[in-house]
Amino acid sequence: ITGPFQYMNGHNYIMTIDGFIYMSSLTAAGNPDITTWNTLATVTASQYPDGGIGVFRYKHHLLAFGKDSVEFFNDASNPPPGSTLERTDQAFIKFGALSPKMIQNFDDTIYWVAYGSNDSFGVWKMTGYAPEKISDLKIDASLLANLAGATSPHYQNMQCVVLAGRKHLLLNGMTYFTPADSFNGSGSDTNSVSSAATARAATLAYSIDDKIWWGLNLLSHYQAAFPVITTSFNATSQLGNYRQYMFMA
């Protein structure tokens, strides 16, 4: 199996790595029973030939994430012994998710790190039935650099938190580097960053309320509070300027 269990309308659902979605049964009294699974009560996320990542509840749908696709399923109240689920074919999305740990439902909005064969890599959220990208080229490059250099990718995950009254996504294991000597205390936002600067890691964070990407760390001194991108770029790269923020308690 892959991904979390999801509950909807009395049934629990789970996906397998080959794309089957299994549904738990009900007791004779019609109550949920997670201990009993009918092997006939399955549907397959098969609009695209990719491996399963997991199912996630989204409003009245179950989203079936694959490595290269997202499919929508609804509870059509089909009679047993088959599954109650039916696919909504017109809502198909042609890119998937990096891993089940990189998908979160926050306030009934799905956020995920996409990964597929059609250059869709980045952080996305579901707006209605359409995906909306919330990361830019700088963030994408940082994520790719982290993935390429990770020796233990199993600890990388997305988490939903509230910081200082603001809703945030945290991408644990996805870091900015924070040069300790890049800020002189003058308030200037034009300090240069040397590749040889002493660096500390900061967790990549996104403020949902403010739509701002920033680096979170627990260091006590302001000189280590400014995040910069983790990777180098070719001189011809057109990625724009970096805007940096510091939040002090």
Side-chain angles (χ1 to χ4, degrees):
I1 62 175
T2 179
F5 289 90
Q6 296 291 289
Y7 179 84
M8 186 171 72
N9 299 342
H11 297 281
N12 289 277
Y13 298 88
I14 189 69
M15 179 179 264
T16 60
I17 58 175
D18 53 359
F20 285 90
I21 302 172
Y22 285 81
M23 181 184 78
S24 67
S25 301
L26 301 176
T27 66
N31 298 317
D33 182 10
I34 197 173
T35 65
T36 305
W37 296 79
N38 182 356
T39 56
L40 298 177
T42 63
V43 292
T44 309
S46 58
Q47 284 185 292
Y48 192 82
D50 57 346
I53 293 293
V55 289
F56 292 81
R57 178 76 182 267
Y58 173 60
K59 304 186 186 303
H60 63 283
H61 305 287
L62 277 183
L63 300 191
F65 279 86
K67 294 181 178 179
D68 223 12
S69 64
V70 183
E71 301 180 30
F72 289 68
F73 288 86
N74 296 325
D75 186 347
S77 300
N78 296 322
S83 174
T84 63
L85 296 179
E86 284 188 357
R87 181 169 40 230
T88 303
D89 293 335
Q90 63 270 26
F92 176 75
I93 296 173
K94 180 53 187 74
F95 58 84
L98 178 63
S99 82
K101 294 181 179 180
M102 286 293 184
I103 307 171
Q104 282 288 346
N105 186 324
F106 198 13
D107 286 344
D108 212 14
T109 298
I110 294 286
Y111 299 88
W112 77 102
V113 176
Y115 186 82
S117 60
N118 59 348
D119 296 326
S120 57
F121 183 82
V123 186
W124 297 72
K125 75 173 184 178
M126 192 69 71
T127 302
Y129 291 93
E132 176 185 348
K133 193 171 185 182
I134 60 175
S135 62
D136 57 21
L137 290 175
K138 297 183 290 292
I139 298 301
D140 294 349
S142 181
L143 293 176
L144 284 170
N146 276 274
L147 291 172
T151 57
S152 300
H154 60 274
Y155 66 77
Q156 295 171 336
N157 65 82
M158 180 184 290
Q159 185 179 10
C160 301
V161 299
V162 176
L163 299 172
R166 294 286 195 271
K167 300 172 185 176
H168 282 82
L169 301 178
L170 294 185
L171 275 66
N172 297 308
M174 300 291 190
T175 60
Y176 276 132
F177 283 148
T178 305
D181 59 349
S182 64
F183 184 69
N184 59 18
S186 66
S188 171
D189 61 356
T190 59
N191 293 285
S192 61
V193 176
S194 167
S195 60
T198 302
R200 298 181 178 91
T203 299
L204 190 58
Y206 176 73
S207 171
I208 295 172
D209 294 324
D210 302 312
K211 299 181 179 180
I212 292 173
W213 286 97
W214 58 292
L216 169 69
N217 61 45
L218 301 179
L219 299 173
S220 60
H221 198 274
Y222 65 85
Q223 285 183 318
F226 279 83
V228 297
I229 207 69
T230 63
T231 190
S232 301
F233 298 105
N234 186 286
T236 59
S237 296
Q238 300 297 317
L239 299 179
N241 296 322
Y242 292 99
R243 179 172 297 174
Q244 308 209 26
Y245 301 85
M246 180 171 66
F247 302 90
M248 300 183 65

